[in-house]
Amino acid sequence: MTGEALTTALTQALLTGLTTGAIYALVGLGFCIIHNSVGIVNFTQVDFVTVGGFLMYSFFIAVGCLFIGTPGGWAWPGLPFKIEPLPPVPWWLKIVALALAVVAVTLVGAAVERFFIRPARSKQVIVLIFITIGVSILLRGIFEVVWGKTPVRMPAFTPGNLKLMGAAYTIQDIWVLGVTLVSIGALHYFFQRTLTGKAMRAAAVNPRAASLAGISVNRMVMLSFALAGILGGLAGMLITPISSLNYTIGVMIGLKGFAGAVLGGYGSFIGAIVGGVLLGVLERVPTMIDVVVSFLFGADPKLADYKEVVAFVVLVLVLFVRPSGILGRGEVQRV
Amino acid sequence: MSALVRNYFILTAFALGLIVVPLVLPNPEYNLSNINRAGLVAIVCIGLNLLLGFAGQISLGHAAFYGMGAYFSGMLTAPHLGIGLDPWLAMVIGMAGTALFAWVIGIPTLKLHGNYLVMATLGFNIVIIEVIKAWAATGQEDGLGGIPELSLFGLTFDNEVARFYLIFFFVVAAILISINLVNSRVGRALRAVHGSEVAAASLGVNVSRYKVKVFVLSAVLASLAGSLHAHMIMPTPGDFDIFHSVDLVMIVLIGGMGSVWGTLIGAILLTMLPHWLGVIQAYKHFFYGLVLVVILIYLPQGLFVGPVDAWRRRRAKAGGAS
């Protein structure tokens, strides 16, 4: 391996890490919003990722941007896709499909709160967490019936790629970074500048005082689930063309988003972003070590086989050593 | 009649009832294999109930302890791996190894609370499963084959009837340990920890030591069940993943935290539920999730604890009036 190939491989690992990191950041933000409003880890966040990707896939098919002629997929229940190739469609139809998927995933998020969290008789943290786990199992059942178990695949939103120091950077990666940045900006604007955003923060800080001021706390909690749905859903939509998607893939991406949020400082928005991106890059460290070691010694230690463990080793270590994460305020206990 | 004496009474009746089950059950080989599975799960859940119901500490990692027991037993006894220990000795080594591991990770883990505790235990479960998947000696995703059957005094546990008696012997033992512990000094200390850690500590209860001890005990029970599992069903990493940990906690929650008998019934019901749903196999997860969610929303104390308490209160009221 030449020195040039080494820099290319390292740059590639770093860029890939950045893209996955952006995905984790989106998911982690969703975890944080619900943590701040209800005080629980919402396990359905991992399903928002899956449902976002799946709905986008189906809407792409529905508007004619994606053609599934082979087995491995039927997009809607009872509708086998045996249609002949469709005529070329205008580019804005993809935007329409994406927008429809965002609206749908928002409704899914709100529905989880309205039908499962709000009616809960017990507000104990353990019970609420396990309700979200139960909903996750239920949604898994729906996914299996509607979209099947084999991962759905689809092409990039826009084909093509750029070269950066010899490493390939696809337009899809730029989509990921762009949408993540826009979402963060929009979220910041929403929470700092709009009345609803401020009301949500008030309801999170002190629900009773907020309701005395005329804020409907229930509605704010529902809104936080809707927002978390959008963030998770966007993550799922952006990652589907890159990694394909099924229930298990969604669960892993979702839990890694959580690990990223903990690394950054659970409950802090900036923490979720920093931690998510950092985790995405950390996950590429075994690959980078492989590359460097085979460059120096000519033998591949195959550490990349353990890539899936990195996020969870980081999660456990952070919780053991510094549960408040890099930027967090820590686990405050009231006696 | 004190609660302890009543529990001994029920346990004796339960043990006697168990003896006749294989004799009266139709099609025993088939039906018993499901019941045996439920028995293994019950051993884990009885331990988990001590942790969750009495000490108030949640763990989403107990499937990993179950798996550690299975892989300890499997790897120490399978002839092709070249160690070939006696299965009973391997079982004890597995329990000791799992206990040591649980103790080491329990100390930092049990300092955490609520959400953090859930996620830390979940995280280490994923780590263990991924290591099993990546380690060639475990047979990886295909599972660890070639594990010998258990045998005792010339009797080999290679049929479901023999296995039934073996598994439920351990179920009864686990219940006995559980009800004795709950009614002891340790049990009272654990309940104090559950009620309020601060209050318990101020009364001289060494909170973290008790939490770690009960965590280790529950891990040992899980490891025991895992060892039995390995000698009866070929272990694969998928049997011990986080979804299985979720099932275990769900059983304790649905059965009713803090109720040994509720846990036992919960273990049997929830293990059999997917089999009963077998006719509508495609919708299995949907209905399973729906049942869990509806119970958690409307009966947060579990299927048994809430209704039984209400019934006792009503009976007490009626008794007071007469």
Side-chain angles (χ1 to χ4, degrees):
Chain A
M1 190 188 267
T2 62
E4 201 178 323
L6 178 72
T7 30
T8 303
L10 288 180
T11 319
Q12 187 71 64
L14 200 66
L15 288 177
T16 316
L18 199 64
T19 307
T20 32
I23 299 284
Y24 298 158
L26 280 177
V27 182
L29 283 170
F31 272 112
C32 284
I33 291 180
I34 292 182
H35 173 80
N36 290 349
S37 74
V38 207
I40 61 166
V41 175
N42 167 37
F43 270 86
T44 51
Q45 187 67 34
V46 307
D47 302 294
F48 294 157
V49 176
T50 319
V51 84
F54 280 167
L55 284 170
M56 176 196 66
Y57 173 79
S58 291
F59 279 120
F60 262 55
I61 292 170
V63 301
C65 292
L66 188 63
F67 166 65
I68 305 293
T70 47
W74 45 308
W76 296 108
L79 237 185
F81 273 80
K82 276 301 224 182
I83 313 165
E84 289 305 303
L86 297 153
V89 287
W91 62 271
W92 51 263
L93 269 181
K94 286 182 186 172
I95 306 288
V96 171
L98 279 175
L100 283 173
V102 170
V103 172
V105 83
T106 314
L107 295 177
V108 172
V112 167
E113 192 279 334
R114 182 64 191 83
F115 297 115
F116 299 106
I117 301 297
R118 201 181 296 178
R121 297 254 175 104
S122 161
K123 300 297 171 195
Q124 250 190 308
V125 170
I126 290 185
V127 174
L128 289 181
I129 293 178
F130 274 83
I131 289 177
T132 67
I133 294 180
V135 175
S136 177
I137 298 173
L138 189 157
L139 288 173
R140 176 190 194 169
I142 296 177
F143 298 155
E144 282 174 1
V145 173
V146 180
W147 288 281
K149 286 181 187 174
T150 38
V152 304
R153 291 171 194 285
M154 57 180 289
F157 296 167
T158 337
N161 57 54
L162 313 169
K163 284 275 182 210
L164 205 73
M165 295 177 73
Y169 202 57
T170 62
I171 307 286
Q172 185 68 26
D173 290 321
I174 294 175
W175 268 96
V176 173
L177 284 191
V179 171
T180 305
L181 287 175
V182 169
S183 310
I184 291 169
L187 214 56
H188 182 79
Y189 179 82
F190 176 74
F191 277 115
Q192 299 300 327
R193 297 268 182 270
T194 67
L195 192 60
T196 322
K198 288 176 185 169
M200 270 181 80
R201 277 163 54 210
V205 172
N206 189 335
R208 176 164 299 198
S211 69
L212 282 174
I215 297 169
S216 164
V217 175
N218 272 342
R219 190 172 298 166
M220 292 305 134
V221 173
M222 186 152 114
L223 203 56
S224 70
F225 271 81
L227 273 180
I230 296 179
L231 291 166
L234 279 175
M237 294 175 208
L238 293 167
I239 199 74
T240 305
I242 298 176
S243 76
S244 78
L245 187 72
N246 65 5
Y247 175 77
T248 336
I249 296 174
V251 167
M252 280 318 225
I253 293 172
L255 290 178
K256 287 175 183 175
F258 176 85
V262 170
L263 174 62
Y266 198 49
S268 141
F269 285 4
I270 302 172
I273 299 164
V274 172
V277 173
L278 190 59
L279 189 72
V281 175
L282 279 176
E283 267 198 315
R284 298 292 151 178
V285 168
T287 318
M288 293 186 196
I289 296 176
D290 278 355
V291 170
V292 172
V293 170
S294 44
F295 173 69
L296 293 176
F297 306 106
D300 188 347
K302 289 204 191 295
L303 283 179
D305 289 356
Y306 289 88
K307 180 178 149 288
E308 290 300 303
V309 188
V310 174
F312 301 102
V313 171
V314 168
L315 170 69
V316 172
L317 286 182
V318 171
L319 287 175
F320 284 177
V321 179
R322 189 179 151 83
S324 54
I326 301 172
L327 302 167
R329 292 148 296 181
E331 189 190 9
V332 181
Q333 206 192 348
R334 209 174 286 156
V335 173
Chain B
M1 195 161 44
S2 81
L4 184 60
V5 175
R6 191 174 59 223
N7 275 331
Y8 281 145
F9 227 71
I10 302 175
L11 183 60
T12 315
F14 173 67
L16 290 175
L18 284 176
I19 294 173
V20 298
V21 168
L23 307 176
V24 297
L25 201 70
N27 195 2
E29 272 301 302
Y30 171 75
N31 282 321
L32 279 179
S33 74
N34 291 336
I35 294 177
N36 287 348
R37 216 51 217 238
L40 292 174
V41 169
I43 297 173
V44 186
C45 290
I46 288 163
L48 193 58
N49 177 51
L50 287 174
L51 183 71
L52 222 141
F54 291 101
Q57 307 299 312
I58 199 155
S59 162
L60 267 187
H62 263 58
F65 294 133
Y66 187 53
M68 286 179 77
Y71 278 92
F72 261 116
S73 272
M75 295 177 79
L76 291 176
T77 59
H80 71 275
L81 291 174
I83 302 174
L85 284 185
D86 176 71
W88 300 102
L89 179 64
M91 191 180 284
V92 174
I93 294 176
M95 284 156 78
T98 309
L100 185 69
F101 182 79
W103 181 69
V104 169
I105 69 150
I107 292 169
T109 307
L110 293 166
K111 283 185 189 147
L112 302 165
H113 297 270
N115 291 320
Y116 292 84
L117 184 57
V118 171
M119 297 312 284
T121 50
L122 182 109
F124 99 81
N125 195 336
I126 297 181
V127 172
I128 296 216
I129 293 305
E130 292 297 330
V131 169
I132 291 177
K133 280 185 187 168
W135 186 10
T138 64
Q140 295 172 316
E141 304 256 17
D142 298 334
L144 180 57
I147 304 170
E149 302 278 352
L150 281 170
S151 63
L152 192 66
F153 307 129
L155 170 71
T156 308
F157 296 97
D158 56 356
N159 62 82
E160 296 298 339
V161 176
R163 289 172 176 182
F164 173 85
Y165 287 117
L166 180 68
I167 290 172
F168 278 87
F169 166 76
F170 284 113
V171 171
V172 169
I175 295 174
L176 191 63
I177 293 171
S178 181
I179 57 185
N180 278 325
L181 190 79
V182 167
N183 288 287
S184 70
R185 199 182 128 82
V186 180
R188 287 189 292 276
L190 288 177
R191 264 173 292 170
V193 170
H194 191 182
S196 160
E197 286 192 15
V198 178
S202 73
L203 290 171
V205 176
N206 188 335
V207 173
S208 63
R209 213 176 70 202
Y210 275 114
K211 286 201 289 191
V212 174
K213 270 186 181 168
V214 74
F215 186 69
V216 170
L217 175 65
S218 67
V220 167
L221 283 173
S223 170
L224 167 72
S227 292
L228 294 171
H229 177 110
H231 291 290
M232 299 172 185
I233 310 157
M234 185 175 80
T236 59
D239 295 335
F240 313 109
D241 61 12
I242 49 168
F243 303 112
H244 201 69
S245 278
V246 166
D247 287 345
L248 296 171
V249 178
M250 281 290 184
I251 285 169
V252 177
L253 286 180
I254 301 290
M257 283 193 285
S259 159
V260 180
W261 301 107
T263 302
L264 183 69
I265 300 170
I268 292 167
L269 278 186
L270 285 202
T271 315
M272 303 306 268
L273 188 62
H275 291 289
W276 294 331
L277 292 177
V279 268
I280 36 174
Q281 198 63 30
Y283 299 91
K284 188 181 75 180
H285 280 118
F286 177 78
F287 284 108
Y288 182 60
L290 194 66
V291 169
L292 296 179
V293 167
V294 167
I295 294 174
L296 287 174
I297 291 177
Y298 296 104
L299 289 169
Q301 281 186 297
L303 271 183
F304 308 104
V305 173
V308 167
D309 278 358
W311 178 72
R312 282 214 187 113
R313 267 200 305 277
R314 211 163 59 203
R315 204 179 58 164
K317 217 190 257 170
S322 63

